[in-house]
Amino acid sequence: MSAELRDRGAEMTGFDGSPGMIELARRRLGDDVPLTVADLAQPLPYADDAFDDVVASLVLHYLEDWQPPLAELHRVLRPGGRLILSVNHPLARPLLFPDEGYFGVRQFSDEFEFAGQPGTLTFWHRPLHAMSDDFTAAGFQIASIAEPPPSPDTPAELLPPRIASGERTAFVSFLFFVLEAR
């Protein structure tokens, strides 16, 4: 996403909590995009009102407490700036595991394989009302919510089988928000 934004003329910077991810981003972006290791649980190394937009793609659902990170992202946005974010759709987990319920905030883990190595990712399920409460408490107003279908350019091997086969055209996976800093 950073490369695409840069290639479209965005003046940008980036951060991640992982030095390894910063190194991968540096290889992909070159030296013309300032990148740093930073932790959303700590104050970010940016001035107040420094950005017009902040993009947080598939970040928040890894965090138990959204309030400090959202407050910090609000701090670095100019008034009227936008936080553009995506998270796991809050219905995805309850549809697959109905006994877990929808309305509580709870932790869960899933097993994946990365480059042939097993790995465990830990997420935090939040119902939509808990997300919107956290956004509002941090000083944001929801400008847009989207549940987009997969891009037509997505390689079939990356899609769920029923989507790849053409049996269905959409699935519940991610939720996208545009939040405005008040």
Side-chain angles (χ1 to χ4, degrees), residues 107-124:
Q107 184 181 40
F108 67 93
S109 296
D110 280 331
E111 302 294 322
F112 295 92
E113 188 173 303
F114 302 100
Q117 299 295 314
T120 302
L121 294 179
T122 299
F123 304 91
W124 286 87

mmCIF file with all atom_site columns, all heavy atoms in Angstrom, residues 107-124:
data_model
loop_
_atom_site.group_PDB
_atom_site.id
_atom_site.type_symbol
_atom_site.label_atom_id
_atom_site.label_alt_id
_atom_site.label_comp_id
_atom_site.label_asym_id
_atom_site.label_entity_id
_atom_site.label_seq_id
_atom_site.pdbx_PDB_ins_code
_atom_site.Cartn_x
_atom_site.Cartn_y
_atom_site.Cartn_z
_atom_site.occupancy
_atom_site.B_iso_or_equiv
_atom_site.pdbx_formal_charge
_atom_site.auth_seq_id
_atom_site.auth_comp_id
_atom_site.auth_asym_id
_atom_site.auth_atom_id
_atom_site.pdbx_PDB_model_num
ATOM 1   N N   . GLN A 1 107 ? -10.205 -12.394 23.088 1.00 0.00 ? 107 GLN A N   1
ATOM 2   C CA  . GLN A 1 107 ? -8.998  -12.793 22.377 1.00 0.00 ? 107 GLN A CA  1
ATOM 3   C C   . GLN A 1 107 ? -9.216  -14.167 21.739 1.00 0.00 ? 107 GLN A C   1
ATOM 4   O O   . GLN A 1 107 ? -9.899  -15.030 22.295 1.00 0.00 ? 107 GLN A O   1
ATOM 5   C CB  . GLN A 1 107 ? -7.849  -12.869 23.384 1.00 0.00 ? 107 GLN A CB  1
ATOM 6   C CG  . GLN A 1 107 ? -6.519  -13.182 22.778 1.00 0.00 ? 107 GLN A CG  1
ATOM 7   C CD  . GLN A 1 107 ? -5.434  -13.261 23.858 1.00 0.00 ? 107 GLN A CD  1
ATOM 8   O OE1 . GLN A 1 107 ? -5.653  -13.794 24.939 1.00 0.00 ? 107 GLN A OE1 1
ATOM 9   N NE2 . GLN A 1 107 ? -4.281  -12.721 23.550 1.00 0.00 ? 107 GLN A NE2 1
ATOM 10  N N   . PHE A 1 108 ? -8.608  -14.359 20.557 1.00 0.00 ? 108 PHE A N   1
ATOM 11  C CA  . PHE A 1 108 ? -8.568  -15.685 19.949 1.00 0.00 ? 108 PHE A CA  1
ATOM 12  C C   . PHE A 1 108 ? -7.295  -15.784 19.118 1.00 0.00 ? 108 PHE A C   1
ATOM 13  O O   . PHE A 1 108 ? -6.687  -14.774 18.749 1.00 0.00 ? 108 PHE A O   1
ATOM 14  C CB  . PHE A 1 108 ? -9.816  -15.975 19.098 1.00 0.00 ? 108 PHE A CB  1
ATOM 15  C CG  . PHE A 1 108 ? -9.943  -15.126 17.859 1.00 0.00 ? 108 PHE A CG  1
ATOM 16  C CD1 . PHE A 1 108 ? -9.455  -15.566 16.640 1.00 0.00 ? 108 PHE A CD1 1
ATOM 17  C CD2 . PHE A 1 108 ? -10.563 -13.886 17.911 1.00 0.00 ? 108 PHE A CD2 1
ATOM 18  C CE1 . PHE A 1 108 ? -9.581  -14.785 15.498 1.00 0.00 ? 108 PHE A CE1 1
ATOM 19  C CE2 . PHE A 1 108 ? -10.694 -13.101 16.770 1.00 0.00 ? 108 PHE A CE2 1
ATOM 20  C CZ  . PHE A 1 108 ? -10.201 -13.559 15.565 1.00 0.00 ? 108 PHE A CZ  1
ATOM 21  N N   . SER A 1 109 ? -6.882  -17.002 18.844 1.00 0.00 ? 109 SER A N   1
ATOM 22  C CA  . SER A 1 109 ? -5.670  -17.239 18.054 1.00 0.00 ? 109 SER A CA  1
ATOM 23  C C   . SER A 1 109 ? -5.985  -18.183 16.909 1.00 0.00 ? 109 SER A C   1
ATOM 24  O O   . SER A 1 109 ? -6.850  -19.053 17.026 1.00 0.00 ? 109 SER A O   1
ATOM 25  C CB  . SER A 1 109 ? -4.565  -17.845 18.928 1.00 0.00 ? 109 SER A CB  1
ATOM 26  O OG  . SER A 1 109 ? -4.177  -16.934 19.928 1.00 0.00 ? 109 SER A OG  1
ATOM 27  N N   . ASP A 1 110 ? -5.266  -18.006 15.809 1.00 0.00 ? 110 ASP A N   1
ATOM 28  C CA  . ASP A 1 110 ? -5.380  -18.889 14.642 1.00 0.00 ? 110 ASP A CA  1
ATOM 29  C C   . ASP A 1 110 ? -3.985  -19.324 14.223 1.00 0.00 ? 110 ASP A C   1
ATOM 30  O O   . ASP A 1 110 ? -3.019  -18.555 14.355 1.00 0.00 ? 110 ASP A O   1
ATOM 31  C CB  . ASP A 1 110 ? -6.052  -18.164 13.467 1.00 0.00 ? 110 ASP A CB  1
ATOM 32  C CG  . ASP A 1 110 ? -7.567  -18.108 13.593 1.00 0.00 ? 110 ASP A CG  1
ATOM 33  O OD1 . ASP A 1 110 ? -8.149  -19.017 14.214 1.00 0.00 ? 110 ASP A OD1 1
ATOM 34  O OD2 . ASP A 1 110 ? -8.161  -17.157 13.053 1.00 0.00 ? 110 ASP A OD2 1
ATOM 35  N N   . GLU A 1 111 ? -3.907  -20.538 13.717 1.00 0.00 ? 111 GLU A N   1
ATOM 36  C CA  . GLU A 1 111 ? -2.647  -21.093 13.219 1.00 0.00 ? 111 GLU A CA  1
ATOM 37  C C   . GLU A 1 111 ? -2.548  -20.837 11.721 1.00 0.00 ? 111 GLU A C   1
ATOM 38  O O   . GLU A 1 111 ? -3.517  -21.011 10.986 1.00 0.00 ? 111 GLU A O   1
ATOM 39  C CB  . GLU A 1 111 ? -2.595  -22.602 13.487 1.00 0.00 ? 111 GLU A CB  1
ATOM 40  C CG  . GLU A 1 111 ? -2.738  -22.975 14.948 1.00 0.00 ? 111 GLU A CG  1
ATOM 41  C CD  . GLU A 1 111 ? -1.578  -22.497 15.795 1.00 0.00 ? 111 GLU A CD  1
ATOM 42  O OE1 . GLU A 1 111 ? -0.430  -22.540 15.316 1.00 0.00 ? 111 GLU A OE1 1
ATOM 43  O OE2 . GLU A 1 111 ? -1.828  -22.058 16.933 1.00 0.00 ? 111 GLU A OE2 1
ATOM 44  N N   . PHE A 1 112 ? -1.354  -20.426 11.264 1.00 0.00 ? 112 PHE A N   1
ATOM 45  C CA  . PHE A 1 112 ? -1.093  -20.170 9.859  1.00 0.00 ? 112 PHE A CA  1
ATOM 46  C C   . PHE A 1 112 ? 0.254   -20.781 9.493  1.00 0.00 ? 112 PHE A C   1
ATOM 47  O O   . PHE A 1 112 ? 1.027   -21.171 10.362 1.00 0.00 ? 112 PHE A O   1
ATOM 48  C CB  . PHE A 1 112 ? -1.045  -18.656 9.574  1.00 0.00 ? 112 PHE A CB  1
ATOM 49  C CG  . PHE A 1 112 ? -2.360  -17.967 9.798  1.00 0.00 ? 112 PHE A CG  1
ATOM 50  C CD1 . PHE A 1 112 ? -2.676  -17.405 11.030 1.00 0.00 ? 112 PHE A CD1 1
ATOM 51  C CD2 . PHE A 1 112 ? -3.287  -17.867 8.774  1.00 0.00 ? 112 PHE A CD2 1
ATOM 52  C CE1 . PHE A 1 112 ? -3.881  -16.764 11.241 1.00 0.00 ? 112 PHE A CE1 1
ATOM 53  C CE2 . PHE A 1 112 ? -4.500  -17.228 8.976  1.00 0.00 ? 112 PHE A CE2 1
ATOM 54  C CZ  . PHE A 1 112 ? -4.794  -16.673 10.207 1.00 0.00 ? 112 PHE A CZ  1
ATOM 55  N N   . GLU A 1 113 ? 0.534   -20.808 8.207  1.00 0.00 ? 113 GLU A N   1
ATOM 56  C CA  . GLU A 1 113 ? 1.850   -21.218 7.736  1.00 0.00 ? 113 GLU A CA  1
ATOM 57  C C   . GLU A 1 113 ? 2.440   -20.048 6.954  1.00 0.00 ? 113 GLU A C   1
ATOM 58  O O   . GLU A 1 113 ? 1.791   -19.487 6.073  1.00 0.00 ? 113 GLU A O   1
ATOM 59  C CB  . GLU A 1 113 ? 1.741   -22.447 6.840  1.00 0.00 ? 113 GLU A CB  1
ATOM 60  C CG  . GLU A 1 113 ? 3.077   -23.034 6.486  1.00 0.00 ? 113 GLU A CG  1
ATOM 61  C CD  . GLU A 1 113 ? 2.946   -24.347 5.746  1.00 0.00 ? 113 GLU A CD  1
ATOM 62  O OE1 . GLU A 1 113 ? 2.311   -25.269 6.279  1.00 0.00 ? 113 GLU A OE1 1
ATOM 63  O OE2 . GLU A 1 113 ? 3.500   -24.416 4.621  1.00 0.00 ? 113 GLU A OE2 1
ATOM 64  N N   . PHE A 1 114 ? 3.666   -19.669 7.314  1.00 0.00 ? 114 PHE A N   1
ATOM 65  C CA  . PHE A 1 114 ? 4.373   -18.561 6.670  1.00 0.00 ? 114 PHE A CA  1
ATOM 66  C C   . PHE A 1 114 ? 5.684   -19.092 6.120  1.00 0.00 ? 114 PHE A C   1
ATOM 67  O O   . PHE A 1 114 ? 6.543   -19.522 6.898  1.00 0.00 ? 114 PHE A O   1
ATOM 68  C CB  . PHE A 1 114 ? 4.651   -17.431 7.673  1.00 0.00 ? 114 PHE A CB  1
ATOM 69  C CG  . PHE A 1 114 ? 3.407   -16.878 8.322  1.00 0.00 ? 114 PHE A CG  1
ATOM 70  C CD1 . PHE A 1 114 ? 3.044   -17.276 9.596  1.00 0.00 ? 114 PHE A CD1 1
ATOM 71  C CD2 . PHE A 1 114 ? 2.604   -15.984 7.651  1.00 0.00 ? 114 PHE A CD2 1
ATOM 72  C CE1 . PHE A 1 114 ? 1.898   -16.777 10.205 1.00 0.00 ? 114 PHE A CE1 1
ATOM 73  C CE2 . PHE A 1 114 ? 1.458   -15.482 8.247  1.00 0.00 ? 114 PHE A CE2 1
ATOM 74  C CZ  . PHE A 1 114 ? 1.104   -15.875 9.518  1.00 0.00 ? 114 PHE A CZ  1
ATOM 75  N N   . ALA A 1 115 ? 5.829   -19.081 4.794  1.00 0.00 ? 115 ALA A N   1
ATOM 76  C CA  . ALA A 1 115 ? 7.044   -19.574 4.147  1.00 0.00 ? 115 ALA A CA  1
ATOM 77  C C   . ALA A 1 115 ? 7.410   -20.966 4.661  1.00 0.00 ? 115 ALA A C   1
ATOM 78  O O   . ALA A 1 115 ? 8.563   -21.257 4.962  1.00 0.00 ? 115 ALA A O   1
ATOM 79  C CB  . ALA A 1 115 ? 8.197   -18.596 4.342  1.00 0.00 ? 115 ALA A CB  1
ATOM 80  N N   . GLY A 1 116 ? 6.391   -21.826 4.795  1.00 0.00 ? 116 GLY A N   1
ATOM 81  C CA  . GLY A 1 116 ? 6.623   -23.189 5.231  1.00 0.00 ? 116 GLY A CA  1
ATOM 82  C C   . GLY A 1 116 ? 6.787   -23.382 6.725  1.00 0.00 ? 116 GLY A C   1
ATOM 83  O O   . GLY A 1 116 ? 6.973   -24.500 7.195  1.00 0.00 ? 116 GLY A O   1
ATOM 84  N N   . GLN A 1 117 ? 6.710   -22.289 7.494  1.00 0.00 ? 117 GLN A N   1
ATOM 85  C CA  . GLN A 1 117 ? 6.877   -22.361 8.946  1.00 0.00 ? 117 GLN A CA  1
ATOM 86  C C   . GLN A 1 117 ? 5.541   -22.114 9.630  1.00 0.00 ? 117 GLN A C   1
ATOM 87  O O   . GLN A 1 117 ? 4.816   -21.196 9.255  1.00 0.00 ? 117 GLN A O   1
ATOM 88  C CB  . GLN A 1 117 ? 7.888   -21.307 9.422  1.00 0.00 ? 117 GLN A CB  1
ATOM 89  C CG  . GLN A 1 117 ? 9.278   -21.473 8.851  1.00 0.00 ? 117 GLN A CG  1
ATOM 90  C CD  . GLN A 1 117 ? 9.930   -22.763 9.316  1.00 0.00 ? 117 GLN A CD  1
ATOM 91  O OE1 . GLN A 1 117 ? 9.892   -23.105 10.485 1.00 0.00 ? 117 GLN A OE1 1
ATOM 92  N NE2 . GLN A 1 117 ? 10.492  -23.495 8.365  1.00 0.00 ? 117 GLN A NE2 1
ATOM 93  N N   . PRO A 1 118 ? 5.204   -22.924 10.643 1.00 0.00 ? 118 PRO A N   1
ATOM 94  C CA  . PRO A 1 118 ? 3.947   -22.675 11.352 1.00 0.00 ? 118 PRO A CA  1
ATOM 95  C C   . PRO A 1 118 ? 4.052   -21.413 12.203 1.00 0.00 ? 118 PRO A C   1
ATOM 96  O O   . PRO A 1 118 ? 5.128   -21.054 12.683 1.00 0.00 ? 118 PRO A O   1
ATOM 97  C CB  . PRO A 1 118 ? 3.788   -23.922 12.239 1.00 0.00 ? 118 PRO A CB  1
ATOM 98  C CG  . PRO A 1 118 ? 5.177   -24.431 12.432 1.00 0.00 ? 118 PRO A CG  1
ATOM 99  C CD  . PRO A 1 118 ? 5.944   -24.062 11.187 1.00 0.00 ? 118 PRO A CD  1
ATOM 100 N N   . GLY A 1 119 ? 2.930   -20.740 12.361 1.00 0.00 ? 119 GLY A N   1
ATOM 101 C CA  . GLY A 1 119 ? 2.893   -19.540 13.191 1.00 0.00 ? 119 GLY A CA  1
ATOM 102 C C   . GLY A 1 119 ? 1.512   -19.341 13.776 1.00 0.00 ? 119 GLY A C   1
ATOM 103 O O   . GLY A 1 119 ? 0.514   -19.784 13.208 1.00 0.00 ? 119 GLY A O   1
ATOM 104 N N   . THR A 1 120 ? 1.458   -18.696 14.913 1.00 0.00 ? 120 THR A N   1
ATOM 105 C CA  . THR A 1 120 ? 0.202   -18.400 15.582 1.00 0.00 ? 120 THR A CA  1
ATOM 106 C C   . THR A 1 120 ? 0.015   -16.893 15.619 1.00 0.00 ? 120 THR A C   1
ATOM 107 O O   . THR A 1 120 ? 0.911   -16.165 16.034 1.00 0.00 ? 120 THR A O   1
ATOM 108 C CB  . THR A 1 120 ? 0.215   -18.945 17.034 1.00 0.00 ? 120 THR A CB  1
ATOM 109 O OG1 . THR A 1 120 ? 0.448   -20.350 16.988 1.00 0.00 ? 120 THR A OG1 1
ATOM 110 C CG2 . THR A 1 120 ? -1.101  -18.657 17.733 1.00 0.00 ? 120 THR A CG2 1
ATOM 111 N N   . LEU A 1 121 ? -1.145  -16.432 15.168 1.00 0.00 ? 121 LEU A N   1
ATOM 112 C CA  . LEU A 1 121 ? -1.497  -15.020 15.259 1.00 0.00 ? 121 LEU A CA  1
ATOM 113 C C   . LEU A 1 121 ? -2.622  -14.879 16.275 1.00 0.00 ? 121 LEU A C   1
ATOM 114 O O   . LEU A 1 121 ? -3.575  -15.658 16.268 1.00 0.00 ? 121 LEU A O   1
ATOM 115 C CB  . LEU A 1 121 ? -1.945  -14.462 13.918 1.00 0.00 ? 121 LEU A CB  1
ATOM 116 C CG  . LEU A 1 121 ? -0.885  -14.389 12.824 1.00 0.00 ? 121 LEU A CG  1
ATOM 117 C CD1 . LEU A 1 121 ? -1.484  -13.823 11.537 1.00 0.00 ? 121 LEU A CD1 1
ATOM 118 C CD2 . LEU A 1 121 ? 0.298   -13.567 13.266 1.00 0.00 ? 121 LEU A CD2 1
ATOM 119 N N   . THR A 1 122 ? -2.501  -13.886 17.134 1.00 0.00 ? 122 THR A N   1
ATOM 120 C CA  . THR A 1 122 ? -3.504  -13.623 18.161 1.00 0.00 ? 122 THR A CA  1
ATOM 121 C C   . THR A 1 122 ? -4.239  -12.339 17.819 1.00 0.00 ? 122 THR A C   1
ATOM 122 O O   . THR A 1 122 ? -3.614  -11.324 17.510 1.00 0.00 ? 122 THR A O   1
ATOM 123 C CB  . THR A 1 122 ? -2.835  -13.524 19.546 1.00 0.00 ? 122 THR A CB  1
ATOM 124 O OG1 . THR A 1 122 ? -2.203  -14.779 19.813 1.00 0.00 ? 122 THR A OG1 1
ATOM 125 C CG2 . THR A 1 122 ? -3.859  -13.246 20.626 1.00 0.00 ? 122 THR A CG2 1
ATOM 126 N N   . PHE A 1 123 ? -5.554  -12.398 17.858 1.00 0.00 ? 123 PHE A N   1
ATOM 127 C CA  . PHE A 1 123 ? -6.426  -11.288 17.486 1.00 0.00 ? 123 PHE A CA  1
ATOM 128 C C   . PHE A 1 123 ? -7.356  -10.958 18.650 1.00 0.00 ? 123 PHE A C   1
ATOM 129 O O   . PHE A 1 123 ? -7.527  -11.753 19.565 1.00 0.00 ? 123 PHE A O   1
ATOM 130 C CB  . PHE A 1 123 ? -7.315  -11.670 16.293 1.00 0.00 ? 123 PHE A CB  1
ATOM 131 C CG  . PHE A 1 123 ? -6.582  -12.142 15.085 1.00 0.00 ? 123 PHE A CG  1
ATOM 132 C CD1 . PHE A 1 123 ? -6.310  -13.496 14.899 1.00 0.00 ? 123 PHE A CD1 1
ATOM 133 C CD2 . PHE A 1 123 ? -6.178  -11.253 14.116 1.00 0.00 ? 123 PHE A CD2 1
ATOM 134 C CE1 . PHE A 1 123 ? -5.655  -13.938 13.770 1.00 0.00 ? 123 PHE A CE1 1
ATOM 135 C CE2 . PHE A 1 123 ? -5.510  -11.688 12.974 1.00 0.00 ? 123 PHE A CE2 1
ATOM 136 C CZ  . PHE A 1 123 ? -5.254  -13.035 12.809 1.00 0.00 ? 123 PHE A CZ  1
ATOM 137 N N   . TRP A 1 124 ? -8.014  -9.815  18.534 1.00 0.00 ? 124 TRP A N   1
ATOM 138 C CA  . TRP A 1 124 ? -9.062  -9.411  19.478 1.00 0.00 ? 124 TRP A CA  1
ATOM 139 C C   . TRP A 1 124 ? -10.345 -9.161  18.696 1.00 0.00 ? 124 TRP A C   1
ATOM 140 O O   . TRP A 1 124 ? -10.387 -8.293  17.828 1.00 0.00 ? 124 TRP A O   1
ATOM 141 C CB  . TRP A 1 124 ? -8.636  -8.163  20.247 1.00 0.00 ? 124 TRP A CB  1
ATOM 142 C CG  . TRP A 1 124 ? -7.617  -8.509  21.264 1.00 0.00 ? 124 TRP A CG  1
ATOM 143 C CD1 . TRP A 1 124 ? -6.266  -8.569  21.090 1.00 0.00 ? 124 TRP A CD1 1
ATOM 144 C CD2 . TRP A 1 124 ? -7.868  -8.927  22.596 1.00 0.00 ? 124 TRP A CD2 1
ATOM 145 N NE1 . TRP A 1 124 ? -5.653  -8.994  22.243 1.00 0.00 ? 124 TRP A NE1 1
ATOM 146 C CE2 . TRP A 1 124 ? -6.623  -9.207  23.191 1.00 0.00 ? 124 TRP A CE2 1
ATOM 147 C CE3 . TRP A 1 124 ? -9.015  -9.087  23.355 1.00 0.00 ? 124 TRP A CE3 1
ATOM 148 C CZ2 . TRP A 1 124 ? -6.501  -9.647  24.507 1.00 0.00 ? 124 TRP A CZ2 1
ATOM 149 C CZ3 . TRP A 1 124 ? -8.898  -9.508  24.667 1.00 0.00 ? 124 TRP A CZ3 1
ATOM 150 C CH2 . TRP A 1 124 ? -7.651  -9.787  25.223 1.00 0.00 ? 124 TRP A CH2 1
#
